[in-house]
Amino acid sequence: MTNRTPEELETGLGHIREAPSDDGELLLIVRRPSEDQRETLDEGVLDTQVGLVGDCWAARGDPRSVDGSANVLAQLTIMNSRVLEVAAGPVERWPLAGDQLYVDLDIGVDNLPAGARLKVGDAVVEVTAKPHTGCTKFIQRFGLAAQRWVNSETGTRLRLRGVNTQVVNPGTIRVGDRVRKL
């Protein structure tokens, strides 16, 4: 698949802005057992210590932390599925983004400021203030235009690249679960 042009990406903003604001749906769960590996799940468990059980978030750590330990403020990343419909195309390509949960929900700053909570299945996650931005791997997979688009002023406000969260109440999640703003 060829990467989207800046014009194609901009054209998709209307569709993205139509995402539900309070009651969305969990469309995809992706566990990363190790770097660059992806497992698509029908069901997963969110845990306050490890995030998505079986995901490598905790083991990978954060090279920006003083001791290299994982940053709990980036424990679980959520991406709006409509962004990937525009930028990546078919659902089979969505896991390349590297996030764990893909939802049909407005995750923009105005709708979900830091501290907002979402009920996903039996679990609750809290939006953190740590920004989630496009990186080198995002550019390799979706192109420079997509990276610039998600990190633009509009893209940052809408959180097109996704949002960092942490698990505050553990529980089981399933594809098709409602994602509700609390």
Side-chain angles (χ1 to χ4, degrees), residues 131-167:
H132 186 36
T133 57
C135 62
T136 303
K137 288 182 182 180
F138 193 84
I139 294 169
Q140 292 168 349
R141 295 168 181 161
F142 304 113
L144 183 59
Q147 190 263 353
R148 288 180 175 160
W149 180 62
V150 299
N151 289 327
S152 68
E153 185 177 333
T154 298
T156 300
R157 193 88 198 145
L158 295 174
R159 288 194 182 117
L160 297 182
R161 179 57 195 96
V163 63
N164 283 307
T165 67
Q166 68 182 85
V167 179

PDB file of all heavy atoms in Angstrom, residues 131-167:
ATOM      1  N   PRO A 131       2.420  13.452  26.318  1.00  0.00           N
ATOM      2  CA  PRO A 131       2.031  13.414  24.893  1.00  0.00           C
ATOM      3  C   PRO A 131       2.478  12.116  24.216  1.00  0.00           C
ATOM      4  O   PRO A 131       3.482  11.513  24.590  1.00  0.00           O
ATOM      5  CB  PRO A 131       2.771  14.598  24.279  1.00  0.00           C
ATOM      6  CG  PRO A 131       3.412  15.334  25.380  1.00  0.00           C
ATOM      7  CD  PRO A 131       3.389  14.475  26.602  1.00  0.00           C
ATOM      8  N   HIS A 132       1.708  11.705  23.222  1.00  0.00           N
ATOM      9  CA  HIS A 132       2.035  10.538  22.409  1.00  0.00           C
ATOM     10  C   HIS A 132       2.252  11.066  20.989  1.00  0.00           C
ATOM     11  O   HIS A 132       1.323  11.583  20.371  1.00  0.00           O
ATOM     12  CB  HIS A 132       0.882   9.545  22.464  1.00  0.00           C
ATOM     13  CG  HIS A 132       1.145   8.235  21.788  1.00  0.00           C
ATOM     14  ND1 HIS A 132       2.368   7.617  21.784  1.00  0.00           N
ATOM     15  CD2 HIS A 132       0.317   7.424  21.090  1.00  0.00           C
ATOM     16  CE1 HIS A 132       2.283   6.475  21.118  1.00  0.00           C
ATOM     17  NE2 HIS A 132       1.050   6.341  20.684  1.00  0.00           N
ATOM     18  N   THR A 133       3.468  10.971  20.491  1.00  0.00           N
ATOM     19  CA  THR A 133       3.796  11.578  19.201  1.00  0.00           C
ATOM     20  C   THR A 133       4.310  10.541  18.213  1.00  0.00           C
ATOM     21  O   THR A 133       4.766   9.479  18.600  1.00  0.00           O
ATOM     22  CB  THR A 133       4.872  12.677  19.375  1.00  0.00           C
ATOM     23  OG1 THR A 133       6.022  12.091  19.991  1.00  0.00           O
ATOM     24  CG2 THR A 133       4.362  13.814  20.244  1.00  0.00           C
ATOM     25  N   GLY A 134       4.230  10.892  16.952  1.00  0.00           N
ATOM     26  CA  GLY A 134       4.743  10.022  15.895  1.00  0.00           C
ATOM     27  C   GLY A 134       6.260   9.949  15.956  1.00  0.00           C
ATOM     28  O   GLY A 134       6.931  10.951  16.169  1.00  0.00           O
ATOM     29  N   CYS A 135       6.810   8.768  15.763  1.00  0.00           N
ATOM     30  CA  CYS A 135       8.251   8.556  15.858  1.00  0.00           C
ATOM     31  C   CYS A 135       8.798   8.044  14.520  1.00  0.00           C
ATOM     32  O   CYS A 135       8.090   7.953  13.528  1.00  0.00           O
ATOM     33  CB  CYS A 135       8.556   7.548  16.964  1.00  0.00           C
ATOM     34  SG  CYS A 135       7.832   5.917  16.650  1.00  0.00           S
ATOM     35  N   THR A 136      10.050   7.671  14.528  1.00  0.00           N
ATOM     36  CA  THR A 136      10.714   7.158  13.327  1.00  0.00           C
ATOM     37  C   THR A 136       9.984   5.936  12.766  1.00  0.00           C
ATOM     38  O   THR A 136       9.801   5.827  11.549  1.00  0.00           O
ATOM     39  CB  THR A 136      12.177   6.798  13.649  1.00  0.00           C
ATOM     40  OG1 THR A 136      12.813   7.969  14.162  1.00  0.00           O
ATOM     41  CG2 THR A 136      12.909   6.323  12.411  1.00  0.00           C
ATOM     42  N   LYS A 137       9.567   5.033  13.629  1.00  0.00           N
ATOM     43  CA  LYS A 137       8.858   3.834  13.152  1.00  0.00           C
ATOM     44  C   LYS A 137       7.530   4.215  12.505  1.00  0.00           C
ATOM     45  O   LYS A 137       7.112   3.615  11.518  1.00  0.00           O
ATOM     46  CB  LYS A 137       8.620   2.856  14.301  1.00  0.00           C
ATOM     47  CG  LYS A 137       9.880   2.156  14.754  1.00  0.00           C
ATOM     48  CD  LYS A 137       9.563   1.167  15.854  1.00  0.00           C
ATOM     49  CE  LYS A 137      10.826   0.501  16.350  1.00  0.00           C
ATOM     50  NZ  LYS A 137      10.546  -0.466  17.412  1.00  0.00           N
ATOM     51  N   PHE A 138       6.854   5.208  13.055  1.00  0.00           N
ATOM     52  CA  PHE A 138       5.591   5.669  12.480  1.00  0.00           C
ATOM     53  C   PHE A 138       5.839   6.199  11.074  1.00  0.00           C
ATOM     54  O   PHE A 138       5.078   5.917  10.146  1.00  0.00           O
ATOM     55  CB  PHE A 138       4.962   6.740  13.384  1.00  0.00           C
ATOM     56  CG  PHE A 138       3.537   7.059  13.045  1.00  0.00           C
ATOM     57  CD1 PHE A 138       2.503   6.290  13.543  1.00  0.00           C
ATOM     58  CD2 PHE A 138       3.222   8.132  12.230  1.00  0.00           C
ATOM     59  CE1 PHE A 138       1.171   6.579  13.227  1.00  0.00           C
ATOM     60  CE2 PHE A 138       1.903   8.431  11.912  1.00  0.00           C
ATOM     61  CZ  PHE A 138       0.882   7.649  12.414  1.00  0.00           C
ATOM     62  N   ILE A 139       6.919   6.949  10.893  1.00  0.00           N
ATOM     63  CA  ILE A 139       7.281   7.472   9.572  1.00  0.00           C
ATOM     64  C   ILE A 139       7.559   6.318   8.613  1.00  0.00           C
ATOM     65  O   ILE A 139       7.084   6.316   7.475  1.00  0.00           O
ATOM     66  CB  ILE A 139       8.510   8.401   9.666  1.00  0.00           C
ATOM     67  CG1 ILE A 139       8.173   9.656  10.462  1.00  0.00           C
ATOM     68  CG2 ILE A 139       9.016   8.774   8.273  1.00  0.00           C
ATOM     69  CD1 ILE A 139       9.385  10.495  10.825  1.00  0.00           C
ATOM     70  N   GLN A 140       8.333   5.324   9.051  1.00  0.00           N
ATOM     71  CA  GLN A 140       8.667   4.190   8.191  1.00  0.00           C
ATOM     72  C   GLN A 140       7.420   3.443   7.739  1.00  0.00           C
ATOM     73  O   GLN A 140       7.349   2.964   6.606  1.00  0.00           O
ATOM     74  CB  GLN A 140       9.597   3.220   8.930  1.00  0.00           C
ATOM     75  CG  GLN A 140      10.972   3.772   9.187  1.00  0.00           C
ATOM     76  CD  GLN A 140      11.770   2.911  10.166  1.00  0.00           C
ATOM     77  OE1 GLN A 140      11.234   2.017  10.814  1.00  0.00           O
ATOM     78  NE2 GLN A 140      13.052   3.210  10.284  1.00  0.00           N
ATOM     79  N   ARG A 141       6.438   3.335   8.626  1.00  0.00           N
ATOM     80  CA  ARG A 141       5.258   2.529   8.328  1.00  0.00           C
ATOM     81  C   ARG A 141       4.159   3.280   7.591  1.00  0.00           C
ATOM     82  O   ARG A 141       3.426   2.688   6.796  1.00  0.00           O
ATOM     83  CB  ARG A 141       4.714   1.947   9.636  1.00  0.00           C
ATOM     84  CG  ARG A 141       5.715   0.976  10.234  1.00  0.00           C
ATOM     85  CD  ARG A 141       5.379   0.602  11.637  1.00  0.00           C
ATOM     86  NE  ARG A 141       6.410  -0.309  12.151  1.00  0.00           N
ATOM     87  CZ  ARG A 141       6.616  -0.528  13.426  1.00  0.00           C
ATOM     88  NH1 ARG A 141       5.891   0.084  14.337  1.00  0.00           N
ATOM     89  NH2 ARG A 141       7.568  -1.354  13.805  1.00  0.00           N
ATOM     90  N   PHE A 142       4.023   4.594   7.864  1.00  0.00           N
ATOM     91  CA  PHE A 142       2.906   5.351   7.300  1.00  0.00           C
ATOM     92  C   PHE A 142       3.331   6.588   6.513  1.00  0.00           C
ATOM     93  O   PHE A 142       2.484   7.237   5.904  1.00  0.00           O
ATOM     94  CB  PHE A 142       1.927   5.751   8.404  1.00  0.00           C
ATOM     95  CG  PHE A 142       1.421   4.563   9.185  1.00  0.00           C
ATOM     96  CD1 PHE A 142       1.758   4.390  10.514  1.00  0.00           C
ATOM     97  CD2 PHE A 142       0.630   3.601   8.579  1.00  0.00           C
ATOM     98  CE1 PHE A 142       1.303   3.296  11.229  1.00  0.00           C
ATOM     99  CE2 PHE A 142       0.174   2.498   9.286  1.00  0.00           C
ATOM    100  CZ  PHE A 142       0.516   2.345  10.617  1.00  0.00           C
ATOM    101  N   GLY A 143       4.606   6.926   6.547  1.00  0.00           N
ATOM    102  CA  GLY A 143       5.121   8.033   5.745  1.00  0.00           C
ATOM    103  C   GLY A 143       5.318   9.324   6.524  1.00  0.00           C
ATOM    104  O   GLY A 143       4.719   9.539   7.577  1.00  0.00           O
ATOM    105  N   LEU A 144       6.177  10.172   5.979  1.00  0.00           N
ATOM    106  CA  LEU A 144       6.487  11.460   6.601  1.00  0.00           C
ATOM    107  C   LEU A 144       5.257  12.370   6.643  1.00  0.00           C
ATOM    108  O   LEU A 144       5.030  13.074   7.625  1.00  0.00           O
ATOM    109  CB  LEU A 144       7.638  12.149   5.856  1.00  0.00           C
ATOM    110  CG  LEU A 144       8.118  13.474   6.432  1.00  0.00           C
ATOM    111  CD1 LEU A 144       8.596  13.312   7.875  1.00  0.00           C
ATOM    112  CD2 LEU A 144       9.234  14.048   5.563  1.00  0.00           C
ATOM    113  N   ALA A 145       4.443  12.336   5.604  1.00  0.00           N
ATOM    114  CA  ALA A 145       3.234  13.173   5.597  1.00  0.00           C
ATOM    115  C   ALA A 145       2.320  12.800   6.765  1.00  0.00           C
ATOM    116  O   ALA A 145       1.755  13.691   7.429  1.00  0.00           O
ATOM    117  CB  ALA A 145       2.491  13.038   4.270  1.00  0.00           C
ATOM    118  N   ALA A 146       2.166  11.513   7.050  1.00  0.00           N
ATOM    119  CA  ALA A 146       1.321  11.068   8.169  1.00  0.00           C
ATOM    120  C   ALA A 146       1.903  11.523   9.500  1.00  0.00           C
ATOM    121  O   ALA A 146       1.164  11.966  10.392  1.00  0.00           O
ATOM    122  CB  ALA A 146       1.155   9.548   8.143  1.00  0.00           C
ATOM    123  N   GLN A 147       3.218  11.439   9.642  1.00  0.00           N
ATOM    124  CA  GLN A 147       3.842  11.879  10.892  1.00  0.00           C
ATOM    125  C   GLN A 147       3.653  13.381  11.092  1.00  0.00           C
ATOM    126  O   GLN A 147       3.334  13.838  12.182  1.00  0.00           O
ATOM    127  CB  GLN A 147       5.336  11.502  10.895  1.00  0.00           C
ATOM    128  CG  GLN A 147       6.026  11.703  12.220  1.00  0.00           C
ATOM    129  CD  GLN A 147       6.769  13.026  12.313  1.00  0.00           C
ATOM    130  OE1 GLN A 147       6.888  13.769  11.350  1.00  0.00           O
ATOM    131  NE2 GLN A 147       7.242  13.333  13.494  1.00  0.00           N
ATOM    132  N   ARG A 148       3.823  14.151  10.047  1.00  0.00           N
ATOM    133  CA  ARG A 148       3.621  15.602  10.149  1.00  0.00           C
ATOM    134  C   ARG A 148       2.156  15.920  10.460  1.00  0.00           C
ATOM    135  O   ARG A 148       1.854  16.839  11.214  1.00  0.00           O
ATOM    136  CB  ARG A 148       4.065  16.280   8.857  1.00  0.00           C
ATOM    137  CG  ARG A 148       5.562  16.295   8.709  1.00  0.00           C
ATOM    138  CD  ARG A 148       5.982  16.973   7.432  1.00  0.00           C
ATOM    139  NE  ARG A 148       7.441  17.068   7.387  1.00  0.00           N
ATOM    140  CZ  ARG A 148       8.127  17.258   6.281  1.00  0.00           C
ATOM    141  NH1 ARG A 148       7.493  17.386   5.114  1.00  0.00           N
ATOM    142  NH2 ARG A 148       9.439  17.333   6.309  1.00  0.00           N
ATOM    143  N   TRP A 149       1.257  15.161   9.863  1.00  0.00           N
ATOM    144  CA  TRP A 149      -0.180  15.356  10.064  1.00  0.00           C
ATOM    145  C   TRP A 149      -0.575  15.098  11.521  1.00  0.00           C
ATOM    146  O   TRP A 149      -1.240  15.918  12.138  1.00  0.00           O
ATOM    147  CB  TRP A 149      -0.919  14.423   9.103  1.00  0.00           C
ATOM    148  CG  TRP A 149      -2.403  14.439   9.135  1.00  0.00           C
ATOM    149  CD1 TRP A 149      -3.225  15.496   8.857  1.00  0.00           C
ATOM    150  CD2 TRP A 149      -3.253  13.327   9.395  1.00  0.00           C
ATOM    151  NE1 TRP A 149      -4.541  15.102   8.940  1.00  0.00           N
ATOM    152  CE2 TRP A 149      -4.583  13.772   9.266  1.00  0.00           C
ATOM    153  CE3 TRP A 149      -3.020  11.988   9.719  1.00  0.00           C
ATOM    154  CZ2 TRP A 149      -5.679  12.937   9.456  1.00  0.00           C
ATOM    155  CZ3 TRP A 149      -4.100  11.152   9.899  1.00  0.00           C
ATOM    156  CH2 TRP A 149      -5.410  11.628   9.765  1.00  0.00           C
ATOM    157  N   VAL A 150      -0.133  13.960  12.086  1.00  0.00           N
ATOM    158  CA  VAL A 150      -0.512  13.648  13.473  1.00  0.00           C
ATOM    159  C   VAL A 150       0.132  14.602  14.468  1.00  0.00           C
ATOM    160  O   VAL A 150      -0.406  14.823  15.553  1.00  0.00           O
ATOM    161  CB  VAL A 150      -0.230  12.175  13.862  1.00  0.00           C
ATOM    162  CG1 VAL A 150      -1.016  11.217  12.981  1.00  0.00           C
ATOM    163  CG2 VAL A 150       1.239  11.840  13.875  1.00  0.00           C
ATOM    164  N   ASN A 151       1.286  15.175  14.122  1.00  0.00           N
ATOM    165  CA  ASN A 151       1.987  16.083  15.032  1.00  0.00           C
ATOM    166  C   ASN A 151       1.728  17.563  14.722  1.00  0.00           C
ATOM    167  O   ASN A 151       2.318  18.434  15.359  1.00  0.00           O
ATOM    168  CB  ASN A 151       3.485  15.799  15.024  1.00  0.00           C
ATOM    169  CG  ASN A 151       3.803  14.491  15.715  1.00  0.00           C
ATOM    170  OD1 ASN A 151       3.141  14.093  16.664  1.00  0.00           O
ATOM    171  ND2 ASN A 151       4.810  13.805  15.220  1.00  0.00           N
ATOM    172  N   SER A 152       0.839  17.842  13.760  1.00  0.00           N
ATOM    173  CA  SER A 152       0.477  19.226  13.453  1.00  0.00           C
ATOM    174  C   SER A 152      -0.306  19.809  14.634  1.00  0.00           C
ATOM    175  O   SER A 152      -0.696  19.091  15.562  1.00  0.00           O
ATOM    176  CB  SER A 152      -0.385  19.276  12.186  1.00  0.00           C
ATOM    177  OG  SER A 152      -1.657  18.683  12.440  1.00  0.00           O
ATOM    178  N   GLU A 153      -0.575  21.103  14.575  1.00  0.00           N
ATOM    179  CA  GLU A 153      -1.361  21.732  15.641  1.00  0.00           C
ATOM    180  C   GLU A 153      -2.734  21.067  15.767  1.00  0.00           C
ATOM    181  O   GLU A 153      -3.168  20.708  16.863  1.00  0.00           O
ATOM    182  CB  GLU A 153      -1.515  23.225  15.363  1.00  0.00           C
ATOM    183  CG  GLU A 153      -2.217  23.974  16.474  1.00  0.00           C
ATOM    184  CD  GLU A 153      -2.298  25.465  16.227  1.00  0.00           C
ATOM    185  OE1 GLU A 153      -1.430  26.015  15.519  1.00  0.00           O
ATOM    186  OE2 GLU A 153      -3.251  26.080  16.739  1.00  0.00           O
ATOM    187  N   THR A 154      -3.397  20.862  14.637  1.00  0.00           N
ATOM    188  CA  THR A 154      -4.708  20.194  14.650  1.00  0.00           C
ATOM    189  C   THR A 154      -4.558  18.743  15.101  1.00  0.00           C
ATOM    190  O   THR A 154      -5.336  18.262  15.924  1.00  0.00           O
ATOM    191  CB  THR A 154      -5.354  20.243  13.247  1.00  0.00           C
ATOM    192  OG1 THR A 154      -5.559  21.607  12.896  1.00  0.00           O
ATOM    193  CG2 THR A 154      -6.668  19.487  13.205  1.00  0.00           C
ATOM    194  N   GLY A 155      -3.554  18.060  14.568  1.00  0.00           N
ATOM    195  CA  GLY A 155      -3.326  16.663  14.927  1.00  0.00           C
ATOM    196  C   GLY A 155      -3.052  16.472  16.403  1.00  0.00           C
ATOM    197  O   GLY A 155      -3.538  15.518  17.024  1.00  0.00           O
ATOM    198  N   THR A 156      -2.300  17.375  16.990  1.00  0.00           N
ATOM    199  CA  THR A 156      -1.994  17.306  18.420  1.00  0.00           C
ATOM    200  C   THR A 156      -3.261  17.553  19.236  1.00  0.00           C
ATOM    201  O   THR A 156      -3.516  16.860  20.225  1.00  0.00           O
ATOM    202  CB  THR A 156      -0.899  18.330  18.785  1.00  0.00           C
ATOM    203  OG1 THR A 156       0.268  18.022  18.018  1.00  0.00           O
ATOM    204  CG2 THR A 156      -0.566  18.292  20.252  1.00  0.00           C
ATOM    205  N   ARG A 157      -4.063  18.512  18.831  1.00  0.00           N
ATOM    206  CA  ARG A 157      -5.312  18.842  19.551  1.00  0.00           C
ATOM    207  C   ARG A 157      -6.295  17.671  19.495  1.00  0.00           C
ATOM    208  O   ARG A 157      -6.972  17.368  20.469  1.00  0.00           O
ATOM    209  CB  ARG A 157      -5.945  20.088  18.933  1.00  0.00           C
ATOM    210  CG  ARG A 157      -7.020  20.670  19.748  1.00  0.00           C
ATOM    211  CD  ARG A 157      -6.441  21.657  20.735  1.00  0.00           C
ATOM    212  NE  ARG A 157      -7.402  21.895  21.791  1.00  0.00           N
ATOM    213  CZ  ARG A 157      -7.081  22.101  23.029  1.00  0.00           C
ATOM    214  NH1 ARG A 157      -5.831  22.133  23.401  1.00  0.00           N
ATOM    215  NH2 ARG A 157      -7.989  22.301  23.937  1.00  0.00           N
ATOM    216  N   LEU A 158      -6.354  17.015  18.324  1.00  0.00           N
ATOM    217  CA  LEU A 158      -7.260  15.865  18.162  1.00  0.00           C
ATOM    218  C   LEU A 158      -6.631  14.556  18.653  1.00  0.00           C
ATOM    219  O   LEU A 158      -7.296  13.526  18.670  1.00  0.00           O
ATOM    220  CB  LEU A 158      -7.667  15.711  16.697  1.00  0.00           C
ATOM    221  CG  LEU A 158      -8.498  16.853  16.102  1.00  0.00           C
ATOM    222  CD1 LEU A 158      -8.708  16.638  14.603  1.00  0.00           C
ATOM    223  CD2 LEU A 158      -9.830  16.979  16.825  1.00  0.00           C
ATOM    224  N   ARG A 159      -5.341  14.633  19.012  1.00  0.00           N
ATOM    225  CA  ARG A 159      -4.564  13.445  19.406  1.00  0.00           C
ATOM    226  C   ARG A 159      -4.639  12.366  18.324  1.00  0.00           C
ATOM    227  O   ARG A 159      -4.933  11.204  18.593  1.00  0.00           O
ATOM    228  CB  ARG A 159      -5.027  12.895  20.739  1.00  0.00           C
ATOM    229  CG  ARG A 159      -4.654  13.746  21.927  1.00  0.00           C
ATOM    230  CD  ARG A 159      -4.846  12.943  23.213  1.00  0.00           C
ATOM    231  NE  ARG A 159      -4.558  13.711  24.396  1.00  0.00           N
ATOM    232  CZ  ARG A 159      -5.454  14.005  25.347  1.00  0.00           C
ATOM    233  NH1 ARG A 159      -6.703  13.582  25.232  1.00  0.00           N
ATOM    234  NH2 ARG A 159      -5.095  14.691  26.405  1.00  0.00           N
ATOM    235  N   LEU A 160      -4.330  12.774  17.106  1.00  0.00           N
ATOM    236  CA  LEU A 160      -4.385  11.825  15.995  1.00  0.00           C
ATOM    237  C   LEU A 160      -3.398  10.686  16.184  1.00  0.00           C
ATOM    238  O   LEU A 160      -3.646   9.573  15.716  1.00  0.00           O
ATOM    239  CB  LEU A 160      -4.123  12.544  14.669  1.00  0.00           C
ATOM    240  CG  LEU A 160      -5.135  13.615  14.266  1.00  0.00           C
ATOM    241  CD1 LEU A 160      -4.774  14.191  12.907  1.00  0.00           C
ATOM    242  CD2 LEU A 160      -6.566  13.078  14.273  1.00  0.00           C
ATOM    243  N   ARG A 161      -2.283  10.925  16.846  1.00  0.00           N
ATOM    244  CA  ARG A 161      -1.311   9.845  17.062  1.00  0.00           C
ATOM    245  C   ARG A 161      -1.730   8.928  18.193  1.00  0.00           C
ATOM    246  O   ARG A 161      -1.221   7.840  18.351  1.00  0.00           O
ATOM    247  CB  ARG A 161       0.089  10.437  17.322  1.00  0.00           C
ATOM    248  CG  ARG A 161       1.172   9.391  17.592  1.00  0.00           C
ATOM    249  CD  ARG A 161       1.275   8.381  16.438  1.00  0.00           C
ATOM    250  NE  ARG A 161       2.031   7.218  16.810  1.00  0.00           N
ATOM    251  CZ  ARG A 161       1.514   6.076  17.245  1.00  0.00           C
ATOM    252  NH1 ARG A 161       0.204   5.929  17.409  1.00  0.00           N
ATOM    253  NH2 ARG A 161       2.288   5.045  17.534  1.00  0.00           N
ATOM    254  N   GLY A 162      -2.666   9.381  19.004  1.00  0.00           N
ATOM    255  CA  GLY A 162      -3.137   8.553  20.108  1.00  0.00           C
ATOM    256  C   GLY A 162      -2.947   9.255  21.431  1.00  0.00           C
ATOM    257  O   GLY A 162      -2.490  10.400  21.498  1.00  0.00           O
ATOM    258  N   VAL A 163      -3.305   8.550  22.484  1.00  0.00           N
ATOM    259  CA  VAL A 163      -3.240   9.117  23.822  1.00  0.00           C
ATOM    260  C   VAL A 163      -2.645   8.088  24.783  1.00  0.00           C
ATOM    261  O   VAL A 163      -2.930   6.898  24.687  1.00  0.00           O
ATOM    262  CB  VAL A 163      -4.645   9.578  24.290  1.00  0.00           C
ATOM    263  CG1 VAL A 163      -5.623   8.423  24.404  1.00  0.00           C
ATOM    264  CG2 VAL A 163      -4.576  10.357  25.590  1.00  0.00           C
ATOM    265  N   ASN A 164      -1.811   8.578  25.683  1.00  0.00           N
ATOM    266  CA  ASN A 164      -1.250   7.732  26.734  1.00  0.00           C
ATOM    267  C   ASN A 164      -2.235   7.647  27.892  1.00  0.00           C
ATOM    268  O   ASN A 164      -2.854   8.645  28.267  1.00  0.00           O
ATOM    269  CB  ASN A 164       0.074   8.309  27.240  1.00  0.00           C
ATOM    270  CG  ASN A 164       1.208   8.039  26.299  1.00  0.00           C
ATOM    271  OD1 ASN A 164       1.456   6.898  25.922  1.00  0.00           O
ATOM    272  ND2 ASN A 164       1.926   9.079  25.912  1.00  0.00           N
ATOM    273  N   THR A 165      -2.346   6.441  28.444  1.00  0.00           N
ATOM    274  CA  THR A 165      -3.211   6.224  29.606  1.00  0.00           C
ATOM    275  C   THR A 165      -2.505   5.290  30.571  1.00  0.00           C
ATOM    276  O   THR A 165      -1.504   4.649  30.228  1.00  0.00           O
ATOM    277  CB  THR A 165      -4.566   5.595  29.212  1.00  0.00           C
ATOM    278  OG1 THR A 165      -4.353   4.257  28.743  1.00  0.00           O
ATOM    279  CG2 THR A 165      -5.287   6.415  28.160  1.00  0.00           C
ATOM    280  N   GLN A 166      -3.057   5.224  31.780  1.00  0.00           N
ATOM    281  CA  GLN A 166      -2.600   4.218  32.734  1.00  0.00           C
ATOM    282  C   GLN A 166      -3.826   3.518  33.297  1.00  0.00           C
ATOM    283  O   GLN A 166      -4.904   4.103  33.397  1.00  0.00           O
ATOM    284  CB  GLN A 166      -1.738   4.811  33.827  1.00  0.00           C
ATOM    285  CG  GLN A 166      -2.449   5.730  34.786  1.00  0.00           C
ATOM    286  CD  GLN A 166      -1.503   6.323  35.807  1.00  0.00           C
ATOM    287  OE1 GLN A 166      -0.868   7.337  35.548  1.00  0.00           O
ATOM    288  NE2 GLN A 166      -1.406   5.705  36.952  1.00  0.00           N
ATOM    289  N   VAL A 167      -3.668   2.255  33.644  1.00  0.00           N
ATOM    290  CA  VAL A 167      -4.767   1.449  34.168  1.00  0.00           C
ATOM    291  C   VAL A 167      -4.974   1.823  35.640  1.00  0.00           C
ATOM    292  O   VAL A 167      -4.038   1.767  36.424  1.00  0.00           O
ATOM    293  CB  VAL A 167      -4.464  -0.059  34.032  1.00  0.00           C
ATOM    294  CG1 VAL A 167      -5.604  -0.894  34.600  1.00  0.00           C
ATOM    295  CG2 VAL A 167      -4.188  -0.424  32.571  1.00  0.00           C
TER     296      VAL A 167
END
